[in-house]
Amino acid sequence: MFGIPVLGVAHDALLTLADALAPLLGTGSVAGAVVVFTACVRLVLVPPVYAQARAEVARVRLAPQVERLRRRYARDPQRLARELGALHRRSGTSMFAGVLPALAGLPFLFLTYRLFDGDRDLLGHTLAGAPLGLHPVAGLGGPHTPVLLALTVLIAGVAWLQYRRAAAVPNTPALLRWMPFATVLTAAFVPLAVGLYLLTSTAWTTAERPLLRRLATARADRVVPGH
């Protein structure tokens, strides 16, 4: 997916950023560079994430109509599917409008994985003493267990918050509700640096989502007659 030139540029950029952070973070400068890199990725992804927030607002506003259609066509699943699809098309959204934005960060996640999966210049760096190239499933039970468990618990906690928020939005597809927990499973089988990326990205999303939803709601209010 990523050729050698892309990996080389990303590698050099990460080390340059780490050098800039070294006076502040010392041996944790590369871990800090991963956090800053992730923050930059999240800034780039603001537009698609905003589109996801707009889809959530639309689902809330369509909830009463969706419920009426479900009662009306409870015994005709095919007709219900057609009517729901038509309703979402008329509203300019989709039942799965949030899925694609949710996947937009995957290329950057894969890039981080490739950088820390065998790169000798990066594998020697640490986070609180634990090598950034260490896989949690391989390191549990060893001297770095506290760091690995702490990262896993933090990722799981953020995933739970995201699940609760998604579940509170009417008509949210099950895929979107449970997707946050995929980060917990992923973090168990990838280098520690990728887990740090996942934690930073999901925590950013948790803090960012309420603001974007307020902006999306305000925009919806402006275009809906009577508001």
Side-chain angles (χ1 to χ4, degrees), residues 7 20 28 35 51 54 59 63 75 86 100 112 132 144 154 193 198 207:
L7 285 173
V35 173
R54 289 182 60 192
R59 283 197 296 271
R75 297 185 179 182
L100 185 58
T112 307
L132 290 175
H144 307 300
L154 288 173
L198 289 170

Side-chain angles (χ1 to χ4, degrees), residues 19-196:
D19 289 340
L21 295 173
L24 293 174
L25 302 178
T27 58
S29 61
V30 171
V34 172
V35 173
V36 174
F37 166 74
T38 309
C40 292
V41 170
R42 297 303 313 184
L43 286 173
V44 171
L45 295 179
V46 166
V49 175
Y50 176 65
Q52 186 178 30
R54 289 182 60 192
E56 290 181 356
V57 171
R59 283 197 296 271
V60 171
R61 299 197 171 200
L62 291 175
Q65 299 177 63
V66 170
E67 185 59 29
R68 286 195 295 269
L69 288 174
R70 285 178 173 168
R71 288 197 301 265
R72 183 175 182 180
Y73 301 109
R75 297 185 179 182
D76 189 350
Q78 293 182 346
R79 178 68 183 275
L80 174 61
R82 291 197 300 270
E83 294 294 335
L84 288 175
L87 173 64
H88 284 87
R89 285 193 297 273
R90 289 195 300 271
S91 68
T93 185
S94 165
M95 289 180 289
F96 296 95
V99 175
L100 185 58
L103 300 177
L106 286 181
F108 300 99
L109 173 65
F110 186 72
L111 175 60
T112 307
Y113 176 83
R114 289 291 304 274
L115 284 172
F116 286 90
D117 187 39
D119 190 315
R120 295 182 181 276
D121 289 340
L122 297 175
L123 290 179
H125 294 273
T126 62
L127 171 64
L132 290 175
L134 179 65
H135 288 62
V137 291
L140 286 177
H144 307 300
T145 296
V147 176
L148 299 175
L149 286 179
L151 185 67
T152 301
V153 169
L154 288 173
I155 293 174
V158 174
W160 174 248
L161 288 176
Q162 291 185 338
Y163 168 81
R164 291 290 300 274
R165 285 184 178 178
V169 177
N171 305 312
T172 300
L175 175 62
L176 289 181
R177 291 200 307 271
W178 291 99
M179 187 177 291
F181 290 107
T183 60
V184 183
L185 181 61
T186 301
F189 295 95
V190 295
L192 182 61
V194 182
L196 186 59

